[in-house]
Amino acid sequence: MLTAYTADQIRTAERALMATVPEGTLMLRAATGLAAVCASLLPRVYGSRIVLLVGSGDNGGDALYAGASLASRGARVTAVPAGSRTHAAGLAALRRAGGRVIGLSAGASTTGAHSSAESGGEGPAAVGAGGFSGEVREAVEKAELIVDGLVGIGVSGALREPYAGLAEIAGRAGAPVVAVDVPSGVDASTGRVEGSAVRAGVTVTMGAWKTGLLVEPGASYAGRVELIDIGLGPYLPESDVGALDRASVRDMLPRPGTGTDKYRRGVVGIVAGSDLYTGAAVLAVGGALNAGAGMVRYVGPARPADQVRARWPEAVITELDEPTLDDVGRVQAWVLGPGLGTGQWAREMAGRVLATDVPVLVDADGLNIVAEDVSLLRRTAPVLITPHAGELARLTGAERRDIEAAPLAHARAAAAGLGVTVLLKGFTTIVAEEGAVTRVNRTGTPWLATGGTGDVLSGIGGSLLAQGLGPQDAGSIAAYLHGLAGSVAADGAPLTAAGVADALPAAIRSL
């Protein structure tokens, strides 16, 4: 499993490692890896135009040493120092290799004393996005590659000038952007972005993943992440954030064995759909069936029951006029809520499902129902909830925009406050459970942002609960498989929710 760390954890590990190696070793290791990634992004190194945006910190030094390496191979490397100081040895190495250094504004010094502190504080030569010299603008506009070495993992909060302005002109340039360690403006520990930030195509991170590269909104600014091993491994603490990889999911997925029957493989009950939203029932049942449940029991009104029967003859269907579970039969986990509505029938069914003693996954209208009475979630058997930011806002009273700005913190707070496992849906899905490592999902495609895919996800999660997985494993593996199936179904083109359900066996087979 991929693990990620806060800025404080990384700095502590770096200090321990630096005590065992000669001074400058870690920076040279980092710069060597950075230069290799930059070279791989260029059609050729010789003659290519590279611009380094350089701050006061060590990542500015990384950028300068990497630039020196590329300049020695014939690249035309230009450094734009933006901090109150510049890494002297890195700057000297760049100049010896033939690189040049230009100031932010006409007449600005290029000898090592520059305009602002690394936190973005303004200095005598600090300029905004509209005030940079023509030389700086021309260099950025003509660049074939831009390296963001402005601020590192020790900086949080909004970028100030000149950093914010440089982030903006880098974003408008046509060249690929490579961020050193984290994109400037992204909080390395939380992924928060306050104001301007560099949007990188590739982030070259040193030693270990930073939490802010895994979670939104930081993950969207990071692009592809390349990890450079600088020897931190033995000095890193236990992580409290991680992401499942293919091997982890393959090892954790339930498999039928000799003598297994449909009951031992897990029976999932699905209370979903209504006269208005018949498709939600069909999609949730499809997700559950294709994720490996031994039996799926659909429980609901006649109209969605007819749709489920027509699409999934494998499902065992109980049509209900009155809200009851008396004649349903054996169920080892429930899915509650997709397309259910919030009328009296739905409320009574929700109460009955949550009064059972088996795991329950609550989604969509099920969440809207429990938002009005969160005591329904206080039960001895496990609960996995699968909200998006708006639904979590209704459950917790937080503002949606605050959840979207800091999803990791809000998912954890909700898990602790509600006593449930939280699968917070988003561009990067987060699965939080009190006392456990929080998991972030990295599979998927933007094409999954279409109606009904969440219903499929709830069916997958319910199926895995019925097969015996705990709520965090069920939720995180469901998110992984859902994203993987989305990529299979899309194959670079639009998809439908039904297509995601149909692609699940192929996704599982690929593992």
Side-chain angles (χ1 to χ4, degrees):
M1 184 167 72
L2 181 154
T3 53
Y5 302 86
T6 66
D8 286 344
Q9 290 172 321
I10 294 290
R11 285 197 296 263
T12 299
E14 286 175 341
R15 285 193 294 269
L17 176 56
M18 283 190 289
T20 70
V21 297
E23 184 178 356
T25 299
L26 299 194
M27 184 169 288
L28 289 175
R29 289 176 182 173
T32 299
L34 175 61
V37 174
C38 290
S40 73
L41 298 173
L42 294 164
R44 68 191 186 290
V45 174
Y46 187 85
S48 62
R49 297 176 182 268
I50 301 171
V51 171
L52 315 176
L53 305 179
V54 181
S56 299
D58 285 347
N59 67 326
D62 296 341
L64 289 166
Y65 276 118
S69 174
L70 295 165
S72 70
R73 296 172 59 183
R76 290 182 282 181
V77 182
T78 300
V80 183
S84 58
R85 61 190 184 280
T86 305
H87 192 280
L91 195 64
L94 177 68
R95 284 182 163 140
R96 285 195 303 270
R100 69 182 186 125
V101 184
I102 60 176
L104 290 175
S105 56
S109 167
T110 62
T111 61
H114 296 282
S115 62
S116 71
E118 187 179 4
S119 61
E122 295 186 16
V127 288
F132 295 114
S133 69
E135 192 176 25
V136 169
R137 291 184 169 280
E138 182 181 13
V140 172
E141 288 168 2
K142 290 184 176 180
E144 295 169 70
L145 187 73
I146 299 169
V147 179
D148 163 32
L150 289 171
V151 300
I153 66 173
V155 176
S156 60
L159 293 177
R160 290 182 284 168
E161 298 300 347
Y163 295 96
L166 287 171
E168 289 172 12
I169 66 169
R172 291 196 294 268
V177 177
V178 176
V180 182
D181 229 6
V182 292
S184 296
V186 172
D187 189 303
S189 298
T190 66
R192 288 186 70 103
V193 174
E194 301 176 23
S196 298
V198 170
R199 194 174 291 275
V202 178
T203 295
V204 181
T205 200
M206 311 305 175
W209 275 71
K210 283 69 182 177
T211 300
L213 301 176
L214 271 182
V215 300
E216 286 299 301
S220 293
Y221 286 80
R224 188 178 86 248
V225 177
E226 296 281 351
L227 174 64
I228 303 301
D229 183 3
I230 59 173
L232 279 189
Y235 304 94
L236 291 168
E238 288 189 15
S239 171
D240 61 0
V241 178
L244 296 182
D245 55 19
R246 294 178 69 88
S248 300
V249 174
R250 182 174 61 244
D251 291 344
M252 295 164 67
L253 269 174
R255 285 181 175 83
T258 303
T260 298
D261 60 30
K262 60 189 176 185
Y263 297 103
R264 291 188 179 93
R265 286 188 58 194
V267 180
V268 58
I270 295 181
V271 177
S274 59
D275 288 348
L276 184 60
Y277 299 112
T278 57
V282 175
L283 294 169
V285 169
L289 284 166
N290 284 333
M295 179 186 292
V296 176
R297 296 186 187 274
Y298 173 73
V299 181
R303 285 190 65 190
D306 286 344
Q307 297 295 317
V308 171
R309 185 180 290 111
R311 179 64 179 85
W312 302 110
E314 305 94 328
V316 178
I317 295 172
T318 303
E319 289 186 21
L320 292 180
D321 293 322
E322 299 299 322
T324 179
L325 300 180
D326 291 345
D327 299 322
V328 172
R330 179 184 179 186
V331 168
Q332 290 156 291
W334 285 101
V335 172
L336 171 68
L340 191 63
T342 57
Q344 187 61 33
W345 189 93
R347 292 170 186 274
E348 290 188 30
M349 281 298 291
R352 292 180 184 279
V353 168
L354 289 165
T356 64
D357 59 358
V358 299
V360 178
L361 182 149
V362 187
D363 183 36
D365 282 329
L367 294 169
N368 294 329
I369 290 169
V370 301
E372 297 182 6
D373 183 7
V374 294
S375 68
L376 290 169
L377 297 176
R378 299 191 188 106
R379 56 198 304 270
T380 56
V383 177
L384 170 62
I385 64 172
T386 59
H388 54 58
E391 290 163 339
L392 191 64
R394 288 192 287 275
L395 274 169
T396 63
E399 293 291 333
R400 178 173 186 153
R401 63 178 178 272
D402 293 336
I403 294 172
E404 291 173 337
L408 183 66
H410 283 276
R412 286 172 162 170
L418 297 172
V420 301
T421 302
V422 177
L423 186 158
L424 178 57
K425 294 182 284 196
F427 183 74
T428 52
T429 293
I430 294 169
V431 183
E433 183 174 284
E434 189 174 18
V437 174
T438 303
R439 294 176 182 167
V440 179
N441 183 59
R442 299 181 63 228
T443 63
T445 165
W447 293 114
L448 278 167
T450 189
T453 55
D455 304 330
V456 176
L457 174 63
S458 67
I460 301 169
S463 177
L464 295 170
L465 285 172
Q467 292 175 69
L469 294 182
Q472 191 189 40
D473 287 346
S476 50
I477 292 175
Y480 189 100
L481 294 178
H482 183 256
L484 191 57
S487 296
V488 171
D491 194 22
L495 54 75
T496 64
V500 176
D502 290 341
L504 275 166
I508 294 170
R509 195 176 302 118
S510 75
L511 297 174

